Amino acid sequence: MRRPRTALLVPGALLAALLPLSAAAHAADDPPPVPVDRFEGEVPFASQPADGIFTWGGDTDDPPTLSLADRADAPEGAKVLTGTYDISGYGGFTHDFAADQPAHDWSAHQGIRFWWEGHDNGKKIPFEIKDGGANGEASELWTTSFTDDFTGWKQIQLPFSDFAYRTDYQPVGGIDHVLGLTQMWGYALTLPTGLKGQFAMDDVELYGKADQALHASVSTDAPVYPVVEGGTARVRVTLATTGDKPVDAPVTVTYATAGGTATEGQDYTPVSGTLTFPAGTASGASATVEVPTRKDRAGESAETIPLKLTVDGAKAPAETPQIVIDAHGLPYLDPKLPVKKRVADLLSRMSLAEKAGQMTQAERDGLAPGDIASYDLGSLLSGGGSTPTPNTAEAWAKMIDGFQLRAQATRFQIPLIYGVDAVHGHNNLYGATVMPHNIGLGATRDPQLAEQTGAVTAAEVRATGVPWDFAPCVCVSRDERWGRSYESFGEDPALVESMETVIQGLQGRADGSDLSRDDKVLATAKHFVGDGGTAYGSSTTGTYTIDQGVTTVTRQQLEDIHLAPYKTAVQRGIGTVMPSFSSLDITGDGKGAVKMHARGDMINGELKGRMGFDGFVISDWNAIDQLPGDYANHVRTAVNAGVDMMMVPYSYKDFSGTLVDEVKAGRVTEARIDDAVSRILTQKFELGLFEHPYADTSGAADIGSPAHRAVARKAAAESQVLLKNSGGLLPLKKSEKVYVAGSNADDIGNQTGGWTLTWQGASGDTVPGTTILQGMRQAGGDVTYSKDASAPTGGYDVGVVVVGETPYAEGVGDVGNGHSLSLSAADQAAVDKVCGAMKCVVLIVSGRPQLIGDRLGEIDSLVASWLPGTEGEGVADVLYGDRPFTGQLPVTWPKSESQLPINVGDASYDPQFPYGWGLTTGTTVPRADAGTWKSLAARAAAAERRGDRHTGQDLVTQARLLVQQRAGERMTAAVAKPFADADHLLLTGKYGQAVEKLTEAYRAA
């Protein structure tokens, strides 16, 4: 048992007396320490542009709490900075210096140090400093870390020579990649993830005398150099200096091949020598070291040759470069063999640790790149907002290629599979085509268009080097208070199933034969199963009210509503499935509410067994941490339940190590591991990653192209649902003078919603695109705009008020968690003022229905615009009649929140507007009589018997339009229920029954 190490506080004089004479003498030559933070109250809790300390995190629960506390044991002064934390994603705090004051000069010092109260938790704690740039949030980030492996106070010393340039994230894309130290803007500290704890810190200061070698550094052009057996690796060694100044003294680099798994003299010719950069050498000078390898006839796995570099006069590279002789001559490398044989051959060669690595997925933002090879990682991801800097297609491809290069240093050179949440286009990428969210696509009732949106998304995602998309969400949303309801195609499983054509858009043919194309990606059906059915108030995650809660259903309800879309997804060849954070409680099964990541009866039994799913199951973000018991129980429970790959963003080391231990202890079988890894490797082979691991950017020029945006524009137009149109106010005439108002008329951030550049999305000018206002102007409309309707309202023919929600994602957007279904006071005021002054159209830009019944009488035309994406011209197209309104409600529009949940098929059903409702402006509906309905019913029944989908849909649509024309604004429960039921029957191919229901609705109108 290791004894905890406890740091002792001793007076400075006594400490000096205890130092060796040489150290004391050296310390005497050093400049005195320079305070950065004493934490005595001299620096406020504030953010830029002021000087201050502030917290941050991945979501609302992740930022730590901070306070200045009186402590008798404070290493300096009376107070210390202290706080508590419980971080699931990432979180920490920053001290930024005042942005309106000059930056600080730290170049005279050796490093930065501070006192830290250790808890011996073994966690690595990243510490970064901010160099150059305009201010603390537009600087260059340099990072190092220390390990909390002690107890009590200890002074942590971090020499500036230990700091490395952050390659995973830079606020402004990096500046000169040189740690200059002359313009410093502060520091930041990242607290441990997955651990509930507290911390205390004191006395941050600069110490020591500057290391002269700090201003010059030596680097290599890559960390890994794969070479075909018999080829020669060429390692380029480059000198760089602060400010591009020539070096004052010679810099020597002694190199030698040593160690590794390759055999000297047999696999390669050893090399050694010295490179010299004389005094006066300019920054950027380079030289090349060549390492020849030798060829033999035997097939073998990859072998490594480290090239050790010893540098004098400059900072050495952070890593020892590795030459890798590529694996060759082994069956799994032969693309002519069937995938099944390649998988079996590779699996037979892998160690348990290598297999565990393939089952592990890490977040790129929390990754030490060298760990890819050290832990044989199988996958990386970018969570929402986790992007390279700059956020361009080129930077994405370069970043992912860099990660793939690291994987080449593993024994079998198994490529990584990189995943992103491209849930409505490549929404993490700036400049991508952003589609309407799924709820809008559901409103289009256009499966072919859904497939086209998937194809555009796949092409843009793959062109950045990403082969895997965590989409589509095939949830069936049963309660619009859910913060993820806009990720659903609708409340009817039949509608969701019909829109799963998006899978073919993403993946191509169902047999997987298109996956290796440069415009297709592996898709993910999520979240298995029942995530859309959670009960309001059942969530126990933070302040969430419904997301990640409990879905309580009978076995038949589970089959009919929530499992049905997964059967379709499996039939369509879906490559991966993601379980839900939520719990499932099946009435009468005796299990109670069980987290989905633990439900082997559902994952192994239903999905893999009864449905025959042969892809792999990927967990949700840190989802296993929500399972009961200790961490080992989390791991074995999820793996034994059938989860094949674990999304463990920041705890990848813990997961892979624990999984190995569980197998060795016999609590997880090797057969289960082999099944999981076989499934993962199969998809990697199908994607063509073994032959082409690096990005194919040939399609990058099409990202955000006019052709791609045309698809998004069409989707935006078809998603618009016309709920009310008194007097035929819509479409507008371009000759009319139009007064436009409302919070969402000219806000691209609100229009695109959550999951746009960042997880939660943001209001404002966030992404390139066209707002609804801009679209109206581009359409040629005579438009005046006043956001708050404060401009005079006289002299206009019609008003258009665009209102609704601001962005949110997941449980952060749950109703009751800071959100409601009512319009904001400002939006209500804008509607009242404009609609009180003129004829008006109200557009609701939102992820779910908004309660509008109290104002419906004063509104002439009402449109559900959903979240239309970046192409506001699509909304203008239907407003001005360039395209007809054809959208239909994918969810029931309630009268009040007390009605929720309300869904098609409910025994009691009296909504504001029923499921399937949607007026049209493009069709003249003739009057009907008894003969009309009799004819429609007979023809629809005949089409149903023949399986004639086209004719059946056309006949039901005619009947639907007749009901809407007759009902007008007189909606009653007697009309709404059969009307909604008819739309469900239409989607299930029961055309005759659908017309019968619509006949009932017509008679009740």
Side-chain angles (χ1 to χ4, degrees), residues 210-266:
D211 181 355
Q212 294 303 310
L214 182 62
H215 302 295
S217 63
V218 168
S219 62
T220 58
D221 54 329
V224 178
Y225 296 82
V227 60
V228 175
E229 186 188 47
T232 298
R234 293 174 175 83
V235 180
R236 187 178 178 187
V237 180
T238 301
L239 175 69
T241 63
T242 300
D244 290 334
K245 296 177 181 178
V247 291
D248 296 328
V251 174
T252 60
V253 182
T254 303
Y255 61 87
T257 50
T261 58
T263 303
E264 179 182 319
Q266 176 180 316

Side-chain angles (χ1 to χ4, degrees), residues 40 60 204 312 364 415 454 553 579 633 703 705 842 961 970 977:
E40 298 300 314
T60 54
V204 183
D312 186 25
R364 45 74 78 188
V553 286
N633 188 67
I703 293 173
S705 66
V842 173
L961 294 177
R970 304 180 305 277
K977 182 169 174 52

Side-chain angles (χ1 to χ4, degrees), residues 742-748 751 771-774 777 785 802:
S743 61
N744 286 349
D746 195 33
D747 193 309
I748 198 78
Q751 187 175 304
T771 66
I772 294 171
L773 174 68
Q774 291 167 340
R777 285 175 170 159
Y785 173 58
V802 190

Side-chain angles (χ1 to χ4, degrees), residues 548-561:
Q548 303 186 21
V550 180
T551 298
T552 303
V553 286
T554 65
R555 179 71 203 197
Q556 194 62 52
Q557 288 171 328
L558 179 66
E559 289 276 351
D560 294 346
I561 298 172

